[in-house]
Amino acid sequence: MNNLISEQGVAQPFDFSAPIEFDKTPMRITVPAYLQKIYWWAYVHPNAVRVFEREWLVNLILFGNYSALRDAALDDIGVDAKGATLQVACAYGDLTPRLRERIADDGKLHVIDVLPIQLQNLKRKLPADMRVSLIQRDSAALGFADASYERVLVFFLLHEQPEDVRRRTLAEACRVVKPGGKVIVVDYHRPDNWNPVRHPLRALLKRLEPYADDLWNNEIQTYLPQDITFSDMKKETFFGGLYQKVVLTR
C-alpha cells in the first residue's frame, strides 16, 4: 500500500497495485474552499459520482451537445498523439477513455484532479494502460516543469472557478505546454440573442454555478497570462454560441 493525499491534505491508504498509475510524488493537496462550498453536490460528495456518472445525463445537461463538444476537443488532439498529453481535471462521461485511444503507443496521458474521489471514479472507467497516470494536483498549482507537454486539454473546468483561480489555471496550462504545443479549452460562451435557452440557462447557472457568468461576459483571452505569447489562437462556437472551443498555440 502507498499513500494518496486526502482532501484535508493528510495521507490516506490507497491501493496502487492496479496497472494504471497514480502519481506518488509527495505534495500537500487541499480541496479549495470554493469547491467544497459551491460544488459539493456535483463532485465532492460520494453520491455525486453515482448520480452524475451517466452519459445520458451529461448529454442532457449539455442539451444534447456532449458528443459534438467531446469530439471537437479530440479533433485537436489528433490521432496517434505523440509525446505527453495533459488533461486538467477529470470529466464525467467518456472523454478520457476516448482520449486515451488517441495516445500514441509511446505517448503519455496524465490526468490531474484535486479530488481523490474523481480520480478513483476515472480509474474505474479506464482499462489497464501503462501510458496513463492519474495525478492528484490542483489545476492552479500543477507542480510540473515548464514545457512538459505537447498538448493540454481543459474541458468544462473554467466556468466552475472564481476569476483568480481561472487565471492561475490558464497560466499553469500555458506554462507547462511546449513551444509549438496546444492548449485546448472547451467551455461555456455567451449565446446568441436568439438562442431559446439563453435566459433560463443563465438564471439556472447563476444559482448553481455562479462563476459561469464570467464566460458569458468575457472572452477566454481576458484570463490569459500576459507574459506568454501565442503564435495562433482559434475560436469556434457551438449550439447558437452557447459553447466554445478555443485553441491556443504557443
Side-chain angles (χ1 to χ4, degrees):
M1 298 287 284
N2 290 282
N3 286 327
L4 181 68
I5 305 300
S6 73
E7 289 92 334
Q8 291 74 35
V10 180
Q12 63 182 13
F14 192 85
D15 184 6
F16 284 103
S17 61
I20 291 179
E21 296 181 10
F22 274 81
D23 180 76
K24 306 173 185 66
T25 305
M27 288 188 67
R28 187 172 183 84
I29 307 293
T30 57
V31 178
Y34 79 87
L35 185 58
Q36 298 190 72
K37 179 180 179 181
I38 304 296
Y39 288 102
W40 63 269
W41 57 272
Y43 303 110
V44 181
H45 196 280
N47 287 335
V49 171
R50 291 192 283 271
V51 171
F52 287 100
E53 191 53 85
R54 306 168 193 270
E55 196 154 325
W56 66 267
L57 180 56
V58 175
N59 197 44
L60 179 65
I61 291 170
L62 295 177
F63 296 101
N65 288 274
Y66 175 73
S67 296
L69 295 166
R70 176 201 65 206
D71 292 347
L74 294 177
D75 284 346
D76 281 284
I77 300 295
V79 178
D80 197 37
K82 299 185 182 304
T85 301
L86 174 65
Q87 178 183 324
V88 180
C90 299
Y92 292 130
D94 65 350
L95 170 68
T96 310
R98 289 180 180 254
L99 174 56
R100 185 195 68 86
E101 295 172 354
R102 301 291 187 108
I103 304 301
D105 289 343
D106 58 351
K108 295 184 296 184
L109 171 61
H110 292 171
V111 185
I112 71 101
D113 203 288
V114 76
L115 293 171
I117 191 172
Q118 290 296 324
L119 293 167
Q120 292 159 358
N121 178 57
L122 178 57
K123 182 174 180 287
R124 287 192 290 268
K125 295 192 289 183
L126 296 173
D129 192 334
M130 297 306 296
R131 299 171 302 169
V132 179
S133 294
L134 308 183
I135 308 169
Q136 189 190 11
R137 295 289 165 90
D138 189 329
S139 66
L142 292 173
F144 302 141
D146 294 354
S148 300
Y149 295 93
E150 273 69 25
R151 59 202 67 83
V152 178
L153 174 60
V154 186
F155 191 83
F156 278 96
L157 172 65
L158 299 182
H159 75 277
E160 297 173 343
Q161 299 182 320
E163 180 179 342
D164 62 324
V165 180
R166 185 182 308 122
R167 288 184 182 277
R168 296 201 305 271
T169 291
L170 283 170
E172 284 289 89
C174 295
R175 178 184 66 79
V176 301
V177 78
K178 296 179 179 180
K182 296 178 180 179
V183 177
I184 304 157
V185 177
V186 179
D187 218 305
Y188 284 107
H189 180 267
R190 186 184 188 92
D192 299 331
N193 289 333
W194 57 263
N195 194 314
V197 306
R198 174 187 174 112
H199 296 296
L201 179 60
R202 191 172 198 182
L204 181 63
L205 290 178
K206 282 186 175 181
R207 181 177 178 82
L208 295 179
E209 305 201 75
Y211 310 118
D213 211 50
D214 287 354
L215 297 186
W216 287 42
N217 296 324
N218 300 288
E219 297 288 345
I220 291 293
Q221 52 262 42
T222 304
Y223 307 106
L224 294 177
Q226 299 300 307
D227 59 341
I228 297 179
T229 58
F230 303 93
S231 63
D232 191 36
M233 182 183 302
K234 295 179 180 177
K235 173 182 168 182
E236 182 180 359
T237 60
F238 304 81
F239 194 59
L242 181 57
Y243 309 111
Q244 64 181 319
K245 179 181 73 170
V246 175
V247 181
L248 309 164
T249 304
R250 284 285 311 261

